[in-house]
Amino acid sequence: MEVQNITNPVTEFVLLGFNNSLKIQQFLFTVFFFVYLMTCLGNITILTTAITDYHLHTPMYFFLANLAFTDIAESSVTTPILLSGLLSQHKSVPFKECILHTFLFHFIGGAHIFLLAVMAADRYVAIFKPLQYLTVMNRAVCLGLVVGSWAGGFIHSATQITLLLPLPYCGPNTLDNFHCDVPQVLKVACIDTSLIELLMVSNGGLLLIAIFVLLLISYTVILVQIRRQFTKGKHKALSTCIAQIMAISITFIPAILIYARPFKIFALDKVVSIFFTVLVPVLNPMVYTLRNTEMKKAIRRLVLRALFSEEKGIA
């Protein structure tokens, strides 16, 4: 593995990752490996509970199960690369593999963002049209919204990659990050990328800001409506909305800090990237279960069923 100079076409990238001592990197490896295990455990629990418990066979939990799947997928795309880099001083990634990783990362991340918007729309219908809720949010509509979310993620990611691929890359081939991402890859291009950056910020950053503002407005309207009209089930409705506001905040704010500005590399970028790629997927299950009595009861039922079936198997 070698750092290619400015005269050679780039065939691989070198991820700088974290330039700490070996002991610190081993400590970080242990921490992030534990976080990854908790991410998978928490989100698989939500996914399994939403699928197996008939009490949760509603549009809201259908969307939540899909959100949990995107958390597992996104964490599985980025965290193994982070862990691998912590075990060595440098991590080299072939050019095509880096581009594929970037595509998958933005594909899944885009779907996750659109699913959060879908969940806000679901809560809006539930609060403002409670009697027509199940009619409006029928199975076909729910499935269409999920497919639309993944299609939106695909279009977003494909646009990013379409802008990246034609560029000439001639080094130096170092990426100051722990995984391949658009801002770092674009800096390796040999030409002026100002226009490309503007297009990418429009496709990613400005879209993030617009959706985030719309979601905050939507949830503000929903919360006002809950306070005005709800008596029965008010606490449950408030808890659900507050959990979703927390989820969109911890997802959108760090993503906006990275993608809604010119792609200049700052020292804190890696910390912010770690937060929304590694830590957010493990925080989402906590956000959605700690404030959701129905989900907590369903998880208890799932655990009890597993324990009783195990006891019967032993007997």
Side-chain angles (χ1 to χ4, degrees), residues 19-299:
N19 297 319
N20 303 111
S21 68
L22 181 59
K23 287 185 177 180
I24 293 177
Q25 291 198 172
Q26 289 173 343
F27 172 74
L28 290 175
F29 176 88
T30 304
V31 171
F32 290 131
F33 182 70
F34 177 76
V35 168
Y36 179 61
L37 290 180
M38 291 300 100
T39 298
C40 293
L41 178 62
N43 284 289
I44 288 172
T45 299
I46 288 179
L47 191 59
T48 305
T49 305
I51 292 172
T52 59
D53 195 306
Y54 73 92
H55 296 93
L56 303 185
H57 289 176
T58 63
M60 184 179 80
Y61 292 105
F62 174 68
F63 297 134
L64 181 57
N66 280 275
L67 193 73
F69 176 78
T70 63
D71 278 331
I72 296 169
E74 186 168 26
S75 186
S76 297
V77 165
T78 55
T79 307
I81 295 177
L82 167 63
L83 295 175
S84 176
L86 288 171
L87 293 178
S88 60
Q89 287 299 109
H90 295 285
K91 170 68 176 176
S92 64
V93 182
F95 179 85
K96 291 182 179 179
E97 186 179 319
C98 185
I99 295 298
L100 176 61
H101 168 84
T102 304
F103 170 78
L104 291 174
F105 176 65
H106 283 271
F107 175 34
I108 299 165
H112 186 95
I113 293 296
F114 287 117
L115 277 171
L116 289 172
V118 165
M119 292 176 74
D122 171 70
R123 289 301 85 204
Y124 186 90
V125 175
I127 299 302
F128 283 89
K129 301 285 185 182
L131 298 179
Q132 294 85 32
Y133 174 61
L134 292 178
T135 302
V136 174
M137 302 299 292
N138 58 61
R139 180 172 295 186
V141 170
C142 291
L143 187 60
L145 288 171
V146 169
V147 171
S149 297
W150 283 100
F154 178 84
I155 292 169
H156 159 71
S157 186
T159 302
Q160 301 282 74
I161 298 303
T162 300
L163 291 171
L164 277 180
L165 273 180
L167 299 176
Y169 297 96
C170 51
N173 65 331
T174 54
L175 304 183
D176 191 14
N177 206 343
F178 64 92
H179 72 114
C180 295
D181 200 5
V182 170
Q184 289 78 28
V185 172
L186 197 61
K187 290 301 176 185
V188 182
C190 310
I191 61 173
D192 179 22
T193 59
S194 301
L195 179 59
I196 303 296
E197 282 189 32
L198 179 62
L199 293 173
M200 287 186 168
V201 169
S202 301
N203 175 256
L206 295 183
L207 184 63
L208 282 169
I209 293 173
I211 294 175
F212 186 46
V213 170
L214 287 174
L215 288 177
L216 289 179
I217 293 171
S218 299
Y219 278 115
T220 301
V221 172
I222 290 171
L223 289 173
V224 170
Q225 181 72 1
I226 291 172
R227 290 178 64 87
R228 281 180 180 175
Q229 296 189 6
F230 274 62
T231 52
K232 184 180 179 181
K234 183 175 182 177
H235 176 74
K236 177 183 174 182
L238 281 172
S239 294
T240 301
C241 287
I242 291 171
Q244 293 189 2
I245 291 170
M246 290 170 64
I248 67 170
S249 297
I250 63 177
T251 299
F252 276 87
I253 292 174
I256 287 171
L257 291 175
I258 294 291
Y259 300 111
R261 59 172 172 80
F263 293 155
K264 294 181 180 179
I265 308 302
F266 294 99
L268 285 177
D269 283 354
K270 273 189 272 192
V271 176
V272 176
S273 187
I274 282 283
F275 182 80
F276 82 87
T277 59
V278 178
L279 298 182
V280 168
V282 77
L283 291 175
N284 276 337
M286 299 178 192
V287 168
Y288 282 108
T289 54
L290 292 178
R291 299 193 61 88
N292 191 318
T293 304
E294 197 171 7
M295 176 59 78
K296 285 189 284 189
K297 289 179 179 178
I299 291 173

